């Protein structure tokens, strides 16, 4: 069983690295360079635009959330100690890195809203994975899977 867990954890780490590479490629490196720097640092400007009738931003915000769900999901299995704030921090740092690379490389619009939505997506993925662990917790004494309730802050 210990060998299976090690293989599973290594597989998740490899998948996480590959997915982060894919994310960096699609959000930064594969984009065309703009003539000038693009940025929108006003928090939640996209919500005001959506309320004003710009429905296309709703899809963009949703996709920014969904982009980081797999990262959060895999982080639960990769982190040495399962703490939700570590997923929050790593999601935020990775998103800030992407936005900074977009700004410096002139390959996208650097936005506070993207950092917010990416970080939320990372947390959603982390908590979905956490929920699966809680629901299908392996009871080693009886060798069967049982449902178990647990506080979000108990995960270790």
């Amino acid at each position: 069983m210990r060998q299976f867990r090690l293989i599973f954890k290594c597989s998740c780490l490899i998948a996480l690295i590959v997915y982060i590479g894919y994310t960096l490629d699609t959000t930064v490196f594969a984009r065309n360079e703009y003539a000038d720097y693009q940025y929108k640092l006003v928090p939640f400007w996209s919500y005001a635009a959506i309320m004003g009738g710009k429905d296309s931003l709703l899809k963009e915000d949703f996709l920014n959330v969904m982009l980081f769900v797999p990262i959060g999901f895999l982080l639960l299995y990769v982190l040495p100690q399962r703490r939700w704030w570590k997923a929050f921090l790593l999601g935020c740092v990775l998103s800030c890195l992407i936005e900074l690379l977009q700004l410096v490389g002139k390959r996208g619009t650097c936005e506070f809203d993207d950092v917010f939505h990416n970080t939320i997506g990372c947390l959603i993925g982390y908590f979905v994975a956490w929920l699966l662990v809680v629901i299908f917790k392996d009871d080693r004494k009886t060798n069967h899977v049982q449902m178990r309730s647990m506080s979000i802050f108990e995960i270790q």
Side-chain angles (χ1 to χ4, degrees):
M1 188 63 142
R2 178 175 273 195
Q3 188 177 18
F4 171 76
R5 287 185 183 175
L6 180 63
I7 291 170
F8 180 74
K9 192 169 189 165
C10 287
S11 299
C12 287
L13 179 61
I14 291 167
L16 180 63
I17 291 168
V18 168
Y19 189 78
I20 288 172
Y22 165 77
T23 303
L24 284 169
D25 183 51
T26 58
T27 58
V28 179
F29 304 120
R31 292 184 171 189
N32 293 326
E33 188 174 327
Y34 293 162
D36 202 6
Y37 298 103
Q38 304 288 321
Y39 53 90
K40 290 185 180 177
L41 301 179
V42 176
F44 309 113
W45 71 270
S46 62
Y47 294 111
I50 290 167
M51 295 298 189
K54 197 163 184 183
D55 295 338
S56 62
L57 285 175
L58 186 61
K59 179 181 176 184
E60 186 178 321
D61 288 350
F62 176 75
L63 291 175
N64 273 316
V65 170
M66 295 308 295
L67 181 67
F68 269 56
V69 168
I71 293 170
F73 189 90
L74 291 168
L75 277 175
L76 180 84
Y77 302 110
V78 171
L79 292 174
Q81 295 177 339
R82 294 178 178 162
R83 302 280 190 252
W84 69 268
W85 60 267
K86 289 182 179 182
F88 172 84
L89 185 62
L90 288 169
C92 187
V93 166
L94 180 59
S95 184
C96 286
L97 174 68
I98 288 171
E99 295 302 313
L100 185 64
L101 287 172
Q102 286 179 345
L103 179 65
V104 171
K106 299 179 187 176
R107 296 186 178 262
T109 304
C110 178
E111 301 179 35
F112 169 83
D113 286 14
D114 286 355
V115 173
F116 175 74
H117 293 119
N118 293 156
T119 305
I120 294 298
C122 191
L123 284 175
I124 289 170
Y126 181 87
F127 284 121
V128 166
W130 172 82
L131 187 61
L132 291 174
V133 166
V134 170
I135 290 173
F136 298 108
K137 184 76 177 168
D138 182 15
D139 184 2
R140 294 186 187 129
K141 293 178 184 173
T142 59
N143 289 329
H144 72 278
V145 175
Q146 67 178 7
M147 289 188 70
R148 183 171 177 243
S149 66
M150 181 183 246
S151 168
I152 290 174
F153 301 104
E154 280 182 45
I155 286 264
Q156 293 186 22

